């Protein structure tokens, strides 16, 4: 068996290592057009910021160590320029010598990954307009930081854009972020992204929402023609002066090789694969950012460019290329990102996606604390859960300063294993005051959702309050004075039973408190006394997230 793998890093290197563990006799060749077969690309921004001090710490496995450990024929700086499925050969360009040669294969795994998109705008090819994608990119940006740059502009507010903003600020660099849409982190919903905007602004990042870059040019600084700066013209009409531009405006799959070889591509130009990661040619497999995978919740192909799925795909493809029948069961896009002192995590589709796909859903908002509030340093989280009218958990998003990852991981497991909100409320999860609460947030999300499905509560979200609704605030007077919904009437929960005569019975009442718990108690009281009431999901805290200012 001769197995050829195109590309290293998460998908390709995992496939090569797994293939060797499965078959000691197989002839395995891994081609990598760069110098590094396995590096921590997710850690690149943190070296720029000085959090990861040593560049070499990001090299997970050198070619030499990989060869010695796996007996895989690793060929770096050798680029595959063509695939001939009929002859079962690949054409290889040695980037050091310029020579080309052909290599045969019995089975082929394509792990060519993806590349950053660069918008077609004047000035985009300036040497100080950079991306953050590989070790070479990181070195170029780090060199400019070491040169003493004072200003940076970032195009794009996704994972890389946010991480670069944080790490530039760690280096005391004045940072501007330009975002095409009205929110950061497009994989989550706008209201859940609002704390991220607040966090960036608090740490000195200037954000331009609903804005694109239209032109980049250079101008001399003062009378010295040798010293120049970049001028970035924005669609808003504003111009920003900067020393460096980082483009983090999305990615595209590196599927040109596959397309030229006649392999089927999907709508977004990712390679089409089946559950065994076979392409349209049964002797060719593909893994990682270059492929389309089934997004299991919405049951349609999608591109999910994340390291975790790529590693698992590499294992699956290696097994099947060597005669196995292992299935890749799809993905739900579980991810997490650090943004200064905040953490944002998600699993499953967002509300935006569910609406687009016309999938029926309900939603609930919670604002629990990371652990028992009587134990020091409890931090509030913001949780949004989406579920079907039958109770299946569809998606979750959490933003907070502590406790986010463990809750996202539990919810991701629940989504992947098709648990319902009824199951969620019954999960037995560990508890001690430093780590959680007796009423664990994951369980609590189940409690609220089940109450909704069983009619014990009728919730309304901040984006669906009727204009003529009677707004009832059941918090304390001090809370009301600190901020309230416009037009709301205050009746603290402890006074509600004695003041029900002040409430209308001929119109709908929307009750709210700080996070929803007192609102639910008030709803139960009033509902059993004949009032038409709804509880504001997530309370005043979530309402503020929906109504956050976009003036950044």
């Amino acid at each position: 068996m001769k197995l050829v793998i195109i590309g290293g890093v998460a998908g390709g290197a995992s496939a090569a290592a797994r293939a060797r563990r499965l078959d000691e006799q197989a002839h395995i060749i891994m081609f990598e057009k760069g110098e590094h077969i396995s590096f921590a690309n997710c850690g690149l921004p943190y070296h720029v910021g000085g959090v990861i001090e040593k560049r070499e710490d990001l090299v997970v496995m050198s070619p030499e160590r990989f060869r010695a450990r796996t007996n895989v024929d690793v060929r770096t700086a050798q680029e595959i320029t063509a695939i001939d499925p009929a002859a079962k050969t690949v054409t290889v360009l040695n980037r050091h010598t310029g020579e080309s040669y052909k290599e045969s294969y019995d089975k082929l795994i394509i792990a060519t990954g993806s590349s950053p998109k660069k918008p077609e705008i004047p000035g985009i090819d300036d040497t100080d307009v950079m991306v953050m994608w590989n070790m070479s990119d990181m070195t170029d940006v780090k060199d400019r930081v070491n040169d003493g740059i004072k200003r940076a502009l970032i195009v794009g507010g996704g994972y890389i854009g946010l991480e670069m903003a944080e790490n530039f600020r760690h280096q005391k660099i004045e940072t501007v972020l330009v975002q095409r849409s009205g929110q950061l982190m497009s994989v989550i919903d706008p209201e859940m992204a609002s704390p991220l905007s607040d966090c960036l602004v608090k740490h000195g990042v200037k954000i331009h929402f609903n804005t694109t870059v239209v032109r980049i040019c250079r101008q001399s600084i003062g009378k010295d023609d040798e010293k120049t700066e970049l001028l970035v013209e924005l669609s808003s009409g504003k111009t920003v002066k900067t020393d460096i531009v980082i483009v983090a405006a999305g990615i595209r799959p590196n599927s040109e090789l596959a397309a030229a070889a006649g392999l089927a591509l999907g709508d977004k130009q990712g390679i089409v694969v089946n559950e065994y990661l076979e392409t349209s040619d049964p002797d060719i497999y593909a893994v990682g950012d270059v492929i389309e995978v089934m997004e299991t919740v919405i049951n349609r192909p999608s591109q999910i460019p994340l390291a975790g799925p790529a590693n698992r795909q590499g294992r699956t493809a290696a097994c099947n290329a060597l005669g196995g029948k292992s299935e890749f069961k799809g993905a739900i896009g579980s991810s997490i990102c650090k943004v200064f002192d905040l953490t944002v995590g998600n699993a499953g589709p967002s509300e935006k996606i569910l609406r687009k796909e016309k999938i029926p859903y309900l939603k609930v908002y919670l604002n629990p604390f990371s652990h028992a509030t009587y134990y020091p340093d409890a931090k509030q989280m913001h949780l949004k859960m989406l579920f079907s009218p039958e109770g299946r958990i569809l998606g979750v998003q959490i933003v907070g300063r502590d406790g986010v990852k463990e809750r996202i991981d539990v919810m991701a497991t629940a989504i992947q294993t098709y648990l319902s909100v009824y199951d969620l409320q019954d999960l037995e999860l560990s508890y001690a005051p430093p780590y959680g609460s007796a009423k664990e947030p994951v369980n609590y999300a189940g409690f609220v959702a089940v109450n909704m499905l069983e009619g014990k509560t009728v919730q309304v979200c901040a984006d669906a309050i009727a204009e003529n609704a009677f707004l009832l605030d059941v918090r304390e007077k001090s809370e009301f004075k600190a901020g309230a919904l416009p037009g709301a009437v205050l009746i603290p929960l402890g006074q509600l039973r004695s003041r029900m005569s002040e409430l209308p019975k001929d119109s709908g009442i929307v009750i709210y408190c700080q996070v929803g718990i007192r609102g639910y108690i008030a709803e139960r009281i009033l509902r059993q006394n004949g009032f038409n009431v709804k509880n504001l999901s997530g309370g005043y805290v979530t309402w503020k997230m929906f109504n956050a200012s976009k003036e950044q």
Side-chain angles (χ1 to χ4, degrees):
M1 164 63 74
K2 185 176 183 181
L3 174 63
V4 168
I5 301 168
I6 307 174
V9 198
S14 294
R18 176 67 169 170
R20 175 56 73 218
R21 292 193 296 271
L22 294 175
D23 190 339
E24 183 64 23
Q25 307 306 317
H27 182 191
I28 305 169
I29 308 173
M30 182 169 67
F31 291 98
E32 170 55 52
K33 69 178 182 180
E35 298 292 342
H36 301 281
I37 63 163
S38 185
F39 63 93
N41 50 356
C42 296
L44 302 181
Y46 299 101
H47 179 60
V48 173
V51 178
I52 298 172
E53 295 182 3
K54 296 179 181 178
R55 182 181 187 274
E56 55 268 28
D57 287 346
L58 293 169
V59 179
V60 178
M61 182 74 70
S62 69
E64 296 74 21
R65 284 178 61 206
F66 196 83
R67 289 189 194 102
R69 182 172 293 187
T70 64
N71 193 30
V72 168
D73 183 355
V74 179
R75 303 183 192 178
T76 57
Q78 299 201 34
E79 181 179 1
I80 304 301
T81 58
I83 301 169
D84 186 340
K88 298 183 76 169
T89 62
V90 294
T91 302
V92 188
L93 171 66
N94 187 317
R95 301 180 76 178
H96 288 315
T97 67
E99 298 176 350
S100 290
Y101 64 95
K102 291 186 183 295
E103 190 71 56
S104 64
Y105 65 83
D106 294 316
K107 299 288 184 180
L108 179 69
I109 297 176
I110 300 173
T112 46
S114 57
S115 296
K117 292 179 180 176
K118 271 198 169 184
E120 294 183 5
I121 57 174
I124 197 72
D125 294 324
D126 190 285
T127 54
D128 279 329
V129 178
M130 303 179 179
V131 296
M132 180 59 64
W133 201 246
N134 55 37
M135 296 287 286
S136 177
D137 298 329
M138 179 192 72
T139 299
D140 291 342
V141 176
K142 182 67 170 175
D143 287 346
R144 294 293 284 119
V145 171
N146 292 341
D147 289 343
I149 61 170
K150 302 297 183 184
R151 302 164 298 181
L153 183 142
I154 299 165
V155 182
Y159 302 105
I160 295 173
L162 295 177
E163 290 167 355
M164 286 305 302
E166 176 182 347
N167 284 283
F168 277 141
R169 292 301 296 144
H170 284 330
Q171 297 285 6
K172 305 294 191 293
I173 294 170
E174 182 182 315
T175 304
V176 173
L177 191 148
V178 178
Q179 173 66 357
R180 175 186 293 271
S181 69
Q183 70 161 98
L184 302 174
M185 192 70 78
S186 63
V187 295
I188 64 175
D189 290 311
E191 72 280 9
M192 298 301 290
S194 67
L196 305 180
S197 307
D198 295 340
C199 179
L200 260 66
V201 171
K202 183 184 78 173
H203 285 88
V205 178
K206 173 70 175 178
I207 308 173
H208 294 270
F209 283 114
N210 299 306
T211 304
T212 58
V213 174
V214 297
R215 184 169 177 260
I216 302 171
C217 60
R218 281 195 176 273
Q219 72 171 10
S220 298
I221 301 175
K223 297 179 180 179
D224 188 348
D225 290 339
E226 292 185 3
K227 290 185 178 180
T228 61
E229 62 187 355
L230 294 174
L231 285 181
V232 181
E233 296 179 14
L234 305 180
S235 59
S236 63
K238 295 180 180 179
T239 299
V240 179
K241 297 177 181 180
T242 190
D243 302 313
I244 188 175
V245 174
I246 301 295
V247 180
I251 63 171
R252 58 170 183 81
N254 295 330
S255 57
E256 296 87 353
L257 267 177
L263 301 181
L265 303 185
D267 292 340
K268 295 184 179 179
Q269 300 306 299
I271 301 174
V272 174
V273 296
N274 62 15
E275 66 270 32
Y276 306 112
L277 301 177
E278 294 173 344
T279 68
S280 51
D281 183 313
D283 291 321
I284 302 177
Y285 298 80
V287 301
D289 291 5
V290 74
I291 70 171
E292 288 189 354
V293 298
M294 188 60 66
E295 193 167 348
T296 55
V297 175
I298 59 178
N299 198 34
R300 69 159 170 78
S302 182
Q303 285 185 269
I304 300 179
L306 296 169
N311 272 287
R312 299 196 304 278
Q313 291 158 14
R315 290 171 54 88
T316 298
C319 173
N320 295 336
L322 294 173
K325 211 64 176 175
S326 178
E327 289 187 30
F328 181 74
K329 300 182 185 299
I332 61 171
S334 302
S335 67
I336 198 159
C337 183
K338 178 182 179 294
V339 184
F340 294 99
D341 55 343
L342 278 184
T343 299
V344 53
N346 72 287
S350 64
E351 183 177 0
K352 292 179 294 187
I353 295 296
L354 293 176
R355 280 202 306 263
K356 181 181 176 182
E357 296 295 322
K358 296 181 172 56
I359 296 173
Y361 67 91
L362 300 170
K363 59 180 177 177
V364 64
Y365 295 91
L366 303 175
N367 297 284
F369 282 84
S370 55
H371 59 252
T373 53
Y374 58 81
Y375 189 89
D377 297 324
K379 307 295 184 185
Q380 191 169 48
M381 298 180 287
H382 309 294
L383 184 154
K384 176 179 184 177
M385 184 177 71
L386 301 151
F387 56 102
S388 75
E390 295 74 38
R392 179 190 170 190
I393 306 163
L394 303 175
V396 65
Q397 301 161 36
I398 308 178
V399 183
R401 287 174 171 78
D402 188 25
V404 173
K405 186 181 186 304
E406 50 264 50
R407 275 76 184 205
I408 280 290
D409 286 345
V410 171
M411 297 291 268
T413 302
I415 294 168
Q416 282 191 293
T417 53
Y418 298 93
L419 296 187
S420 73
V421 294
Y422 296 96
D423 299 313
L424 205 63
Q425 67 177 353
D426 291 329
L427 289 180
E428 186 172 335
L429 303 171
S430 60
Y431 158 65
Y435 304 108
S437 302
K439 288 186 177 179
E440 161 60 40
V442 169
N443 294 132
Y444 212 94
F447 297 157
V448 177
V450 169
N451 280 343
M452 291 172 64
L453 294 177
E454 293 182 347
K456 293 183 175 68
T457 180
V458 177
Q459 302 232 331
V460 62
C461 295
D463 56 347
I465 299 173
E467 289 186 11
N468 62 346
F470 183 94
L471 301 177
L472 175 60
D473 190 321
V474 296
R475 299 174 299 164
E476 297 303 312
K477 188 174 182 179
S478 59
E479 295 174 284
F480 185 81
K481 284 185 174 181
L485 271 65
V489 172
L490 174 67
I491 301 180
L493 179 60
Q495 302 174 23
L496 186 59
R497 287 183 176 87
S498 63
R499 296 178 59 184
M500 284 191 291
S501 61
E502 300 175 29
L503 299 176
K505 280 203 170 183
D506 57 350
S507 62
I509 299 173
V510 172
I511 304 173
Y512 73 93
C513 62
Q514 194 71 3
V515 296
I517 298 172
R518 284 173 289 175
Y520 171 61
I521 296 170
E523 178 195 6
R524 294 301 301 160
I525 293 170
L526 293 181
R527 187 175 301 283
Q528 294 176 74
N529 280 278
F531 289 89
N532 176 17
V533 291
K534 295 179 180 178
N535 185 25
L536 180 61
S537 186
Y540 181 65
V541 168
T542 299
W543 181 86
K544 287 197 298 182
M545 292 166 63
F546 273 94
N547 292 275
S549 171
K550 291 299 181 188
E551 296 298 323
Q552 307 288 349

